[in-house]
Amino acid sequence: MTPGILYAAETKPVRSQPMQVEAKNTAIDPAPAVSTPIAPTTESQLSADVPNLYSQFKANDLPTAELNAQVTSVSQLSDVRPTDWAFTALQSLVERYGCIAGYPDRTYRGQRAMSRYEFAAGLNACLDKINEIISAGLADKVSKEDLAAVQKLQEEFAAELATLRGRVDALEAKTAKLEAQQFSTTTKLSGEVIMAVAGASGANPIGGRNPNVVFNSRVRLNLTTSFSGKDLLITGLQAYNIGGGANSLQGSLGYADPIGLSSSNVRLGFEPQFIGINPQTLAPVASNSVNLYKLLYIFPVADKVTLFAGTNAEVSDAFPAISPFASEGQGSISRFGQGYNAAYRVSGGTSGTGLAAAVGFIWNPSDQVDFRALYGSINASLASNVPLNNGLSNTGTATPVGAGFFGGSTIAAAQLTLKPSPNLDIGLNYANSYHQINILGTGLSSSDIGSVLFNPTAAEIGSGSALGTIAAQPIKMNSIGATATWRITPKVAFNVSGSWLFADLANISASTTFTSWMTGFHFKDVFNEGNSAGIIFGQPLYRNSVGGRATRPETATPYHLEGYFNFKVSKNISITPGIFFVFNPEGFSSNPTATVGVVRTTFTF
C-alpha cells in the first residue's frame, strides 16, 4: 500500500534537494502551499514532479495592490534627475493630472537616470490622461500652456513615442492571440518524456538469462490548477511501454520476485514500482495505456500550516527529497541509487503510479524545521474486500491489499526535515504500516514479496500452496530511516542514508529485520553549467536478521556501485549515460555480478 502526496506544501520551505516536476518525479515543495519538496529543483522532476510545482507557483505570486500604487509627483520617482526642461515640463503635467504610476519602491529601478523610453512612457501616460479629459467635454480643465508643453514634448520625443506605441500595439496583438489560444486561465500544463536504451548481463545461473537490449519510454503530463492563487490542484497522466515480470530486465536476469511484481535489486530508476500490473487488484495494465497517476489538492489553512488530500498520491509528493540523486529524469539511473531510504519508499510510497489515497499536513515553524505527516490507504475506492487465497488462483479478481479507506493496507508516515546550516539538510523518516499481504512495498528487492519467510505446516497450507500461504499472510511494519546531504562546496555534495524495517506477521510468530544504506557524491556544473554527475555505493535492502519461525535463505550481502553523467543538451533536453553493478544480487553469493548500462534521454516542457 502506500501514500504519497506532494513534494509539496509549506509556508517556508526547507530546501532539500537541488524536482525537479524532476515533476518530480514531480516533484512541489513546502510553502504555505508548497515549496520544497513539492521538487528537487535545480533538476526537473514531474513526478514528484509535484513537490516543486507549488513552490514555483508561489514564487510568481505578485503583490498587485503595491503594483497599482500611484506616484503622483515626478519628484517621487527618485531615479529621475531634474536636469533639463523636459523633466520640469513633465513634472508639471504629472502633478496637475496625476498620470504616472511608478514601481512599488517609487523608482524606475536602479540608481540611474530615466532613459528616454522610460520618459516617453510617462509622457504617453499623460497624453492619454489629457485626451480622456478632453473627450469627456472638460477641455477647459486643460490650460493652453499645458497643451503647448505637451506639443513640444511630443515633438522632442516623437521617435520614442512612435517606437513605444508600436511595441504596445504588437504586445496587444500577442496578448489577444494568447487569450484566444490559451488552454486555461487557471491551469498550466507541464510534461516530461523519458526515453532510454538499456541492457544487462550477469544472469542468475538458476533460471535466468541475459536479456536483449530494450528501448523504453515513459510520458507524464501534469495539469496544475490554482483557484485562489494560494492553493494547487495537481492532475497527472502517465503512459509507459516498460515490460514487467519476466519481460523486465530484472525478470529476464532471474532476480525479480516470484509472483511477477518486478521487485528486485536490479531496477531502473524511472520505471514504475509495479510494472504492467495494477497492485490493487493484480489485474494487468496494457503497455502505453494512459492512466491517472496523480490527483491531489494542496491548500494553506494558516500562516505555517498547509493541508493536502488526494486519491492518487505518493509519499514523494509530500515529503522533501533530501538526496541530490532523487530525480527519475535527471538523477540516478537506478531505483536504489536515487537515495530515497527504504523507510521513505515502504508501502509503495514511491510507486510511480499514485497508489494511495492520502491526507496529511505540512507544518513549517521556521526556515530550519519542516514537519510533515500523512495517512494513506491503497484501496480506498473499493467497498468490498476479497482477500487473496492461499493458492493464488483468484489473481486478478481479488483485492489483495484490502479495501476501504480505513481497511486493508494502510500507512501512517512522517518526516522531520532539519536544516541546521545552509549547507546541510537532514531528513528523519518513520512509518507504521499494515499490509493485508506479506509485502514491504518498496520495490527494492525480490524479498519485498514474501517478506517474512517461514515454513508453513500442512494445516496452514490447507488446499492451497506453500507460496500462496506465505504471500497471503498479513504483515505489520515499523520503519525508520535517515538521509543527510552536506554541500561541501556549491558544486560538490556528499549524501548518506540508512534505514531499518522491522516486519512481523500478524497471525504467525515470525519476524524479519531489513536494513539498507547508501552513500555517494553528487557533482554540479561538470565541464559545463547545467551538467551533473554522481558516484554511488551502498547496500540494497537485505534481510539482516530473523526471529520466531522466520527463515533467511540469503547467503551474502548485496552491494551496489553506480556512476552516471547527466549532460544538459539544452534547457529542455538532457542525456544521461550511466552504469551500475549489483554484487551478490538478491543476497546470494552464487549469483554473478549483475551489470546494467543505460542511456537515458529526458525532455521537459
Side-chain angles (χ1 to χ4, degrees):
M1 81 121 264
T2 188
I5 280 196
L6 48 233
Y7 220 72
E10 67 184 42
T11 326
K12 294 183 180 177
V14 176
R15 279 308 318 158
S16 52
Q17 76 178 12
M19 197 185 207
Q20 246 181 14
V21 339
E22 288 177 300
K24 169 235 206 109
N25 303 287
T26 226
I28 300 182
D29 264 346
V34 183
S35 73
T36 55
I38 255 169
T41 49
T42 55
E43 303 176 335
S44 80
Q45 183 169 353
L46 289 178
S47 80
D49 315 283
V50 176
N52 288 319
L53 295 176
Y54 190 81
S55 54
Q56 293 170 6
F57 170 80
K58 286 298 296 176
N60 294 324
D61 191 12
L62 299 176
T64 55
E66 284 189 313
L67 292 177
N68 290 331
Q70 290 290 318
V71 178
T72 58
S73 172
V74 173
S75 61
Q76 288 180 274
L77 301 175
S78 58
D79 291 333
V80 179
R81 294 176 299 184
T83 57
D84 57 40
W85 72 270
F87 173 85
T88 303
L90 183 60
Q91 180 182 40
S92 177
L93 295 173
V94 167
E95 291 178 345
R96 268 200 291 279
Y97 303 105
C99 49
I100 291 183
Y103 291 98
D105 59 359
R106 295 183 175 180
T107 72
Y108 272 95
R109 293 184 180 171
Q111 299 304 313
R112 57 179 176 79
M114 185 190 303
S115 73
R116 289 181 65 84
Y117 284 111
E118 290 170 331
F119 189 93
L123 174 57
N124 190 66
C126 285
L127 292 175
D128 289 342
K129 185 68 175 181
I130 291 172
N131 280 331
E132 288 178 11
I133 294 173
I134 295 174
S135 299
L138 302 174
D140 58 321
K141 301 294 184 182
V142 182
S143 67
K144 294 181 180 180
E145 291 78 7
D146 288 343
L147 291 175
V150 166
Q151 183 177 0
K152 188 175 180 181
L153 287 170
Q154 281 184 294
E155 293 172 355
E156 177 73 19
F157 292 90
E160 288 81 7
L161 285 171
T163 301
L164 177 65
R165 286 166 182 166
R167 291 176 178 176
V168 170
D169 290 343
L171 180 60
E172 288 179 346
K174 289 181 179 179
T175 300
K177 183 177 180 180
L178 288 173
E179 288 178 347
Q181 297 178 350
Q182 68 180 340
F183 173 74
S184 169
T185 58
T186 59
T187 302
K188 292 183 179 180
L189 172 67
S190 59
E192 179 186 65
V193 176
I194 297 176
M195 295 191 292
V197 176
S201 63
N204 184 338
I206 304 176
R209 67 186 186 282
N210 289 335
N212 294 317
V213 173
V214 295
F215 188 12
N216 295 134
S217 64
R218 190 193 74 186
V219 180
R220 285 180 172 175
L221 297 176
N222 281 350
L223 300 171
T224 56
T225 304
S226 179
F227 304 101
S228 67
K230 296 181 179 180
D231 61 344
L232 198 66
L233 174 67
I234 302 170
T235 306
L237 302 176
Q238 173 178 261
Y240 60 87
N241 76 340
I242 307 167
N247 290 320
S248 64
L249 289 177
Q250 58 271 26
S252 180
L253 289 170
Y255 296 132
D257 66 82
I259 65 173
L261 296 184
S262 305
S263 296
S264 173
N265 292 162
V266 186
R267 294 291 302 270
L268 298 180
F270 65 89
E271 62 185 49
Q273 180 175 331
F274 304 104
I275 314 171
I277 194 169
N278 180 348
Q280 297 170 309
T281 61
L282 296 187
V285 174
S287 178
N288 286 322
S289 60
V290 178
N291 293 285
L292 181 72
Y293 88 100
K294 196 79 60 187
L295 183 61
L296 59 96
Y297 183 56
I298 310 155
F299 56 100
V301 294
D303 181 43
K304 299 181 183 298
V305 179
T306 299
L307 302 184
F308 57 84
T311 58
N312 293 75
E314 300 176 270
V315 169
S316 55
D317 295 330
F319 297 168
I322 308 301
S323 168
F325 311 108
S327 171
E328 296 173 358
Q330 313 288 341
S332 166
I333 60 171
S334 71
R335 183 174 180 85
F336 173 75
Q338 288 169 5
Y340 294 115
N341 66 65
Y344 190 106
R345 289 193 183 271
V346 73
S347 300
T350 55
S351 67
T353 55
L355 185 58
V359 296
F361 70 88
I362 298 170
W363 176 46
N364 299 114
S366 71
D367 289 341
Q368 289 73 42
V369 179
D370 174 280
F371 181 72
R372 306 176 183 213
L374 61 80
Y375 168 85
S377 175
I378 292 240
N379 267 350
S381 62
L382 302 182
S384 298
N385 184 14
V386 183
L388 188 71
N389 70 20
N390 286 351
L392 297 175
S393 61
N394 58 355
T395 294
T397 60
T399 56
V401 293
F405 190 53
F406 298 105
S409 302
T410 59
I411 182 173
Q415 176 169 314
L416 175 64
T417 304
L418 304 173
K419 193 178 179 69
S421 73
N423 298 324
L424 180 62
D425 295 335
I426 300 171
L428 304 175
N429 294 92
Y430 170 75
N432 179 273
S433 311
Y434 173 82
H435 299 170
Q436 188 165 283
I437 57 175
N438 191 355
I439 178 175
L440 300 180
T442 67
L444 294 170
S445 167
S446 63
S447 60
D448 205 70
I449 312 299
S451 306
V452 180
L453 295 176
F454 66 98
N455 295 315
T457 65
E460 289 168 337
I461 295 175
S463 61
S465 67
L467 175 60
T469 299
I470 294 172
Q473 297 300 317
I475 186 174
K476 298 180 294 183
M477 290 183 293
N478 284 283
S479 309
I480 57 175
T483 306
T485 295
W486 172 35
R487 288 173 288 280
I488 303 172
T489 72
K491 296 185 179 181
V492 180
F494 174 71
N495 174 261
V496 62
S497 65
S499 55
W500 296 260
L501 277 60
F502 305 97
D504 296 86
L505 294 184
N507 301 326
I508 293 175
S509 177
S511 63
T512 300
T513 299
F514 294 82
T515 61
S516 178
W517 58 267
M518 192 194 92
T519 186
F521 287 91
H522 182 267
F523 306 92
K524 292 175 57 179
D525 298 335
V526 182
F527 303 128
N528 200 3
E529 185 177 359
N531 297 342
S532 62
I535 299 175
I536 298 163
F537 181 73
Q539 175 209 299
L541 196 64
Y542 168 71
R543 288 187 180 96
N544 183 267
S545 62
V546 296
R549 292 174 55 188
T551 61
R552 182 175 61 141
E554 290 82 3
T555 60
T557 303
Y559 292 102
H560 178 107
L561 176 64
E562 177 178 343
Y564 72 88
F565 177 73
N566 178 244
F567 171 64
K568 204 77 171 176
V569 179
S570 67
K571 179 181 178 181
N572 303 104
I573 303 175
S574 68
I575 299 176
T576 309
I579 187 170
F580 67 89
F581 308 90
V582 181
F583 307 97
N584 305 319
E586 307 304 338
F588 291 93
S589 58
S590 58
N591 291 337
T593 299
T595 303
V596 180
V598 179
V599 177
R600 178 188 65 204
T601 302
T602 303
F603 306 86
T604 58
F605 55 91

